[in-house]
Amino acid sequence: IPANVTQLKANSKNVGKLGLNDKRRAEYDPMCSKGPGVKTYHITVFAVSAEPKLDPNKANRAALLEAIKDITLAEGTFDFQYERK
């Protein structure tokens, strides 16, 4: 999301750049839960001072964290619980 964006309205689209999900697609991919019961999920958003130098074909969590370690300005984590009915 570009630095000049100061808010996102509900259902905002085409703001910023999508990364690849675990299925190697640039789209929303809901989490998979294993088994019954309440699951806790964590979503972390990072504010960075430059575009990360990261090969999209080799991107994973570890590679992303390494690529942004020196350009991270702030981060925030949203934790939520979900139970499939």
Side-chain angles (χ1 to χ4, degrees), residues 24-35:
R24 312 290 303 156
R25 297 185 295 215
E27 62 188 25
Y28 175 71
D29 181 25
M31 299 96 170
C32 295
S33 67
K34 295 179 180 171

Side-chain angles (χ1 to χ4, degrees), residues 6-53:
T6 59
Q7 65 179 341
L8 292 172
K9 295 183 180 176
N11 300 313
S12 294
K13 294 182 182 178
N14 302 318
V15 179
K17 185 172 165 185
L18 289 175
L20 298 178
N21 61 31
D22 60 340
K23 294 181 180 141
R24 312 290 303 156
R25 297 185 295 215
E27 62 188 25
Y28 175 71
D29 181 25
M31 299 96 170
C32 295
S33 67
K34 295 179 180 171
V38 175
K39 307 295 185 285
T40 301
Y41 296 97
H42 316 278
I43 297 174
T44 302
V45 177
F46 296 90
V48 295
S49 60
E51 186 169 336
K53 292 178 175 50

Side-chain angles (χ1 to χ4, degrees), residues 49-68:
S49 60
E51 186 169 336
K53 292 178 175 50
L54 181 64
D55 180 349
N57 296 314
K58 296 179 182 175
N60 59 33
R61 185 178 190 276
L64 172 65
L65 293 176
E66 179 64 25
I68 66 172

